[in-house]
């Protein structure tokens, strides 16, 4: 086998779909991400009343009944509904669909950290208060983590591999990496991939407060998510979905598709050197970054922008920034878009990969809007408050998950 034959197939992004607290659809979301001075979608849901962390980023104005119909709505938990809405936009953006593709060659890979936990929690209350015979028969299909992947595959008629990835807050990034491997292996021609999450579960928020992972800055909910800021005190949960359409470059060219970016590399590593499942690890993050660079065959000095995991927890931001500086040096412009979307958990990797594609297209690094005073221990240049134009040819998106999951993607301009 020649060296050329061993090279992995080039994979490109041909479609994007987004549903976030910053906006419904790619255009609205990206406009808010790059121009708004503060987040717009922070609310106090009734289910969180009286908790120390009683606020989150929610999606307003999304008419699920109108978009999906009552029958489809009743067969999906909200995280799956969001995935379907984002996937439809991404597929339309790629100018694809059942009338164009060979459905047996279309894969779906969607990540989610928790799946339909809200419905599960609701039915557990029914069990305790009303008895076993009143528990919904829809509990299993609506609460399973693969609900988003299965719903997207059914909705779009995709008949290739349909997979769910659950690696906590790295789920969306690992889903995209898995889709990249499927395309390179020839298991599909098109992959619909990303992440989806929607969590209003009271017990989850109570636990998050007790681990000191969630912000308790209740006096100013919109300003509570402050990645890399000296006064950061934890993340704020958000709901959302981000979906990309990936194709091998030759497949996209053959059908005359427009490539929005190239997905050059993916790296993942476990933090087996930590004693706590919620503690970040310098070693694990670095291993994932260097694996992604090697897979992409790019040098650290080629990276001009990093969409960081940037959760606004005290230790995560410091550990991640330290590793970014060690691997890339001073030159990349770093941002955390979670200040505008909230931490969407398993959806974060899909949403932030889409933002990275848009940054490359528009040559624009979105700002970390709530960053007022950068922690002096953070050794990287974080774009704060106002988006910044820059020459961007190669960028990285990172995700870190509870349990020691670390993942990174390398994307390039086309």
């Amino acid at each position: 086998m020649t060296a050329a034959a061993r090279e992995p197939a080039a994979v490109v992004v041909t479609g994007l779909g987004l549903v976030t607290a910053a906006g419904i659809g790619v255009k609205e979301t990206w406009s808010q991400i790059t121009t708004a001075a503060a987040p717009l979608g922070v609310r106090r849901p009734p289910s969180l009343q009286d908790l120390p962390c009683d606020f989150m980023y929610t999606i307003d104005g999304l008419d699920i009944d109108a978009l999906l119909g009552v029958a489809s709505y009743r067969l999906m938990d909200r995280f799956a509904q969001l995935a379907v809405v984002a996937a439809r936009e991404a597929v339309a953006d790629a100018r694809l669909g059942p009338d164009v593709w060979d459905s047996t060659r279309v894969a779906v890979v969607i990540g989610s950290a928790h799946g339909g936990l809200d419905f599960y929690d609701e039915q557990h209350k029914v069990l305790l208060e009303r008895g076993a015979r009143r528990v919904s028969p829809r509990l299993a299909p609506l609460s399973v983590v693969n609900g988003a992947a299965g719903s997207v595959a059914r909705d779009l008629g995709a008949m290739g591999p349909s997979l769910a990835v659950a690696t906590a807050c790295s789920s969306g990034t690992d889903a995209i990496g898995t889709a990249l491997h499927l395309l390179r292996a020839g298991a599909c021609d098109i992959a619909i991939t990303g992440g989806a999450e929607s969590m209003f579960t009271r017990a989850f928020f109570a636990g998050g407060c007790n681990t000191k992972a969630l912000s308790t800055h209740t006096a100013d909910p919109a300003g509570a998510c402050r990645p890399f800021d000296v006064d950061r005190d934890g993340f704020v949960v958000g709901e959302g979905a981000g979906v990309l359409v990936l194709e091998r470059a030759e497949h996209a060219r053959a059908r005359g598709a427009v490539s929005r970016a190239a997905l050059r590399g993916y790296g993942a590593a476990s933090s087996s050197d930590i004693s706590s499942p919620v503690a970040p690890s310098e070693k694990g993050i670095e291993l994932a970054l260097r694996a992604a660079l090697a897979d992409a065959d790019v040098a650290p000095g080629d990276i001009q922008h990093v969409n960081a995991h940037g959760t606004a927890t005290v230790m995560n931001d410091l550990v991640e920034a330290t590793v970014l500086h060690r691997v890339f040096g001073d030159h990349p412009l770093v941002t955390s878009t979670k200040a505008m979307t909230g931490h969407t958990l398993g959806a974060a990797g899909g949403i932030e990969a889409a933002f990275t594609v848009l940054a490359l297209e528009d040559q624009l690094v979105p700002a970390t809007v709530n960053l007022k005073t950068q922690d002096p221990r953070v050794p990287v240049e974080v774009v704060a408050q106002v988006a910044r134009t820059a020459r961007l040819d190669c960028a990285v998106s990172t995700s870190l998950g509870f349990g020691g999951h670390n993942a990174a993607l390398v994307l390039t301009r086309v």
Side-chain angles (χ1 to χ4, degrees):
M1 181 180 293
T2 66
R6 289 194 299 269
E7 292 180 359
V11 171
V12 294
V13 180
T14 56
L16 297 176
L18 287 167
V19 187
T20 76
I24 299 169
V26 171
K27 184 176 180 180
E28 180 181 347
T29 299
W30 186 238
S31 175
Q32 290 297 325
I33 291 293
T34 55
T35 63
L40 305 176
V42 186
R43 304 287 182 267
R44 299 184 192 267
S47 63
L48 306 184
Q49 186 175 359
D50 300 325
L51 290 177
C53 323
D54 64 350
F55 53 93
M56 65 176 287
Y57 290 70
T58 63
I59 298 167
D60 298 330
L62 184 64
D63 190 339
I64 292 292
D65 283 353
L67 289 169
L68 303 183
V70 175
S72 295
Y73 171 80
R74 289 176 58 81
L75 293 173
M76 304 178 202
D77 189 83
R78 184 168 172 84
F79 85 108
Q81 296 164 5
L82 299 180
V84 169
V85 172
R88 285 183 178 181
E89 182 185 26
V91 167
D93 182 43
R95 299 183 181 179
L96 286 168
D99 57 334
V100 175
W101 62 37
D102 175 357
S103 61
T104 65
R105 299 289 298 165
V106 180
V108 176
V109 190
I110 305 292
S112 179
H114 299 280
L117 190 58
D118 284 352
F119 191 65
Y120 193 94
D121 187 55
E122 173 190 313
Q123 293 304 305
H124 182 250
K125 293 177 184 176
V126 171
L127 173 65
L128 295 178
E129 296 172 4
R130 302 172 63 189
R133 294 185 64 83
R134 303 308 297 268
V135 173
S136 172
R138 298 184 294 136
L139 176 59
L142 266 69
S143 64
V144 288
V145 175
N146 70 311
S151 295
V152 169
R154 287 195 307 273
D155 185 74
L156 296 173
M159 299 179 69
S162 177
L163 305 173
V165 175
T167 52
C169 303
S170 296
S171 298
T173 297
D174 284 323
I176 294 169
T178 300
L180 175 65
H181 287 167
L182 288 174
L183 285 160
R184 286 174 172 175
C188 58
D189 297 323
I190 298 163
I192 301 163
T193 183
E197 202 85 78
S198 182
M199 282 273 294
F200 293 80
T201 306
R202 189 173 176 84
F204 172 84
F205 279 79
C209 293
N210 290 339
T211 62
K212 303 188 185 304
L214 301 187
S215 173
T216 57
H217 196 66
T218 58
D220 179 22
C225 184
R226 295 167 284 183
F228 304 111
D229 194 276
V230 68
D231 292 324
R232 67 191 182 279
D233 72 333
F235 66 81
V236 180
V237 175
E239 61 170 343
V243 175
L244 289 70
V245 174
L246 305 180
E247 301 178 59
R248 287 191 303 280
E250 65 269 22
H251 183 274
R253 282 194 298 268
R255 68 179 190 86
V258 175
S259 296
R260 305 191 68 157
L263 178 56
R264 290 282 299 274
Y266 161 65
S270 298
S271 296
S272 59
D273 58 326
I274 56 175
S275 58
S276 167
V278 301
S281 159
E282 290 188 17
K283 185 175 181 180
I285 301 167
E286 184 171 353
L287 285 170
L289 285 169
R290 294 198 185 280
L293 293 173
D295 188 42
D297 193 24
V298 300
D302 295 329
I303 304 301
Q304 298 144 326
H305 167 49
V306 178
N307 188 305
H309 190 57
T311 58
T313 57
V314 175
M315 286 308 299
N316 177 91
D317 285 8
L318 183 57
V319 169
E320 183 181 14
T322 298
V323 175
L324 292 177
H325 185 263
R326 182 185 304 150
V327 174
F328 300 121
D330 296 323
H331 60 280
L333 297 175
V334 176
T335 194
S336 171
T337 45
K338 286 182 175 66
M340 287 297 293
T341 64
H343 188 354
T344 54
L345 309 172
I351 292 169
E352 290 157 18
F355 290 162
T356 307
V357 170
L358 292 163
L360 289 165
E361 281 187 335
D362 289 356
Q363 300 287 279
L364 184 66
V365 177
T368 307
V369 293
N370 285 337
L371 174 55
K372 302 298 190 292
T373 305
Q374 184 170 320
D375 186 336
R377 297 173 298 170
V378 169
V380 293
E381 184 175 0
V382 183
V383 177
Q385 300 187 45
V386 179
R388 190 183 307 179
T389 58
R391 173 61 184 263
L392 304 178
D393 296 310
C394 193
V396 164
S397 180
T398 60
S399 292
L400 319 177
F402 284 177
H405 301 284
N406 305 277
L409 302 170
V410 177
L411 296 116
T412 59
R413 191 181 184 192
V414 292

